[in-house]
Amino acid sequence: MGKILNFGSLNIDRVYRVEHFVRPGETISSRGYQCFPGGKGLNQSIAAARAGAPVFHAGTVGTDGDFLAELLRESGADIRYVRKTDGMTGHALIQVNDEGENCIILYQGTNFDNDTAYMEQVLSDFGTGDILLLQNEISNLSYLLKRGKEKGMRIMLNPSPMDAGLAGEDLSGVSWLMLNETEGCALTGEQEPERIMRALLSRYPEMQVVLTLGGEGAMMGGGEQLLHQPCFRVKTVDTTAAGDTFTGYFAAAVLEGKNAQDALRLAAAAAALAVSEEGAAVSIPVRQQAETLLKKSGY
Ligand code: RIB
């Protein structure tokens, strides 16, 4: 059935509960502080692994990051390609407000120690039919996009965090683009979901585009089909890693051969469970929990 290689970030998340996001020139006290494992890469690998997929994580931690690799392993991901260097592991400073919304500042740390020689070494164990799962939190992403395409891997890209470099990138080798409206707007200049979708598909006719719409669920376009997936209603505690959970579960579902609608539904159920708990990686459900929610919802 193939396997998933996720070349992605590993972060330490420093999470502050706040009444409102800090404004320019303002100093505020937080209501609480917690330190969690995170990073879009790590979160997506954990989601895919907890969904039951064979996922291999590659990426670099520093001297303070062993616990991140350990959590990946405990969650069922293969960590043989995770590397350790002398630097400081990447971290994220996250504010979460009473509505469960977040805003994030990243420090790259060792996520930018990934060089192309290391990438080649890892890629040599993967090929046609395998999924290369990527985000934009590590060094040399362009190289991975190019080499993944050359090797005939199926690339699933979550273009987050969006930046000017990625906005100008050739994404023609990407099979699935997993993005939110803000990223869609940055890539196309369009504001409306339908227009974002149309603009991306006319630029990349071979691509499957999955646009997540927060409380409005998600839509997926590609080929002749346009699908909608409402979100499952839950009490929102913390939306951090909701998108990562969705992406990791979607990747696992695609790999196991689910059709697009069923893959979207499973991903949406898992994401809903993730927003009802605090933290990033620690909030990601196991497959059984997602299946139970689907059953309770009549599927
Ligand atoms: O998507 C959520 C993640 O973004 C956090 O875990 C944080 O580390 C940042 O990478």
Side-chain angles (χ1 to χ4, degrees):
M1 95 167 168
K3 41 201 191 294
I4 298 172
L5 168 62
N6 182 2
F7 224 119
S9 57
L10 303 102
N11 286 338
I12 298 170
D13 287 356
R14 308 206 163 112
V15 182
Y16 299 84
R17 277 269 162 194
V18 293
E19 193 193 341
H20 64 264
F21 298 144
V22 68
R23 292 187 269 261
E26 188 183 32
T27 302
I28 57 172
S29 287
S30 69
R31 292 172 167 174
Y33 165 76
Q34 278 172 293
C35 185
F36 288 116
K40 294 182 199 304
L42 174 143
N43 297 337
Q44 292 178 22
S45 279
I46 287 183
R50 291 187 182 165
V55 54
F56 294 74
H57 191 90
T60 311
V61 292
T63 47
D64 50 349
D66 287 341
F67 75 103
L68 299 174
E70 190 47 33
L71 181 68
L72 277 166
R73 198 188 55 73
E74 279 168 13
S75 303
D78 190 305
I79 58 165
R80 77 183 69 178
Y81 302 111
V82 174
R83 233 180 26 160
K84 187 169 170 183
T85 57
D86 278 344
M88 188 195 281
T89 301
H91 70 249
L93 196 156
I94 305 181
Q95 299 177 57
V96 179
N97 68 13
D98 288 343
E99 283 69 51
E101 299 164 322
N102 64 51
C103 54
I104 302 179
I105 299 175
L106 288 174
Y107 170 71
Q108 302 171 338
T110 50
N111 290 313
F112 271 60
D113 284 353
N114 299 307
D115 56 77
T116 57
Y118 164 47
M119 288 174 169
E120 272 309 320
Q121 210 182 333
V122 176
L123 284 169
S124 67
D125 288 344
F126 296 85
T128 315
D130 293 332
I131 293 179
L132 178 58
L133 179 57
L134 300 170
Q135 316 76 30
N136 191 27
E137 278 186 348
I138 60 167
S139 48
N140 291 310
L141 177 68
S142 303
Y143 187 82
L144 284 170
L145 286 168
K146 178 173 151 284
R147 289 292 293 126
K149 181 180 177 185
E150 284 167 5
K151 289 177 71 72
M153 296 180 77
R154 299 181 291 165
I155 300 177
M156 186 175 287
L157 173 68
N158 169 217
S160 181
M162 180 58 73
D163 59 20
L166 187 49
E169 192 74 53
D170 170 18
L171 301 181
S172 58
V174 173
S175 301
W176 298 275
L177 188 65
M178 314 289 297
L179 74 178
N180 63 24
E181 285 167 277
T182 312
E183 291 144 7
C185 177
L187 279 177
T188 63
E190 300 289 353
Q191 307 279 345
E192 298 298 318
E194 283 77 12
R195 293 177 73 97
I196 292 172
M197 183 64 82
R198 231 175 293 134
L200 286 168
L201 292 175
S202 74
R203 201 182 303 167
Y204 301 113
E206 306 294 315
M207 193 182 259
Q208 300 286 323
V209 177
V210 179
L211 192 59
T212 54
L213 307 167
E216 300 307 311
M219 64 195 279
M220 175 172 175
E224 293 300 295
Q225 67 177 1
L226 185 62
L227 303 172
H228 288 270
Q229 175 60 52
C231 72
F232 291 81
R233 297 282 160 206
V234 288
K235 184 176 170 336
T236 302
V237 174
D238 181 353
T239 56
T240 313
D244 298 332
T245 305
F246 187 98
T247 295
Y249 261 81
F250 184 82
V254 165
L255 193 72
E256 82 189 39
K258 276 198 185 298
N259 68 38
Q261 188 72 67
D262 288 347
L264 287 175
R265 193 180 294 122
L266 176 65
L273 291 166
V275 305
S276 60
E277 300 285 337
E278 284 191 323
V282 294
S283 73
I284 298 171
V286 295
R287 179 72 173 256
Q288 191 54 49
Q289 292 171 289
E291 296 290 354
T292 302
L293 176 58
L294 286 176
K295 216 177 210 170
K296 268 199 208 148
S297 313
Y299 295 106

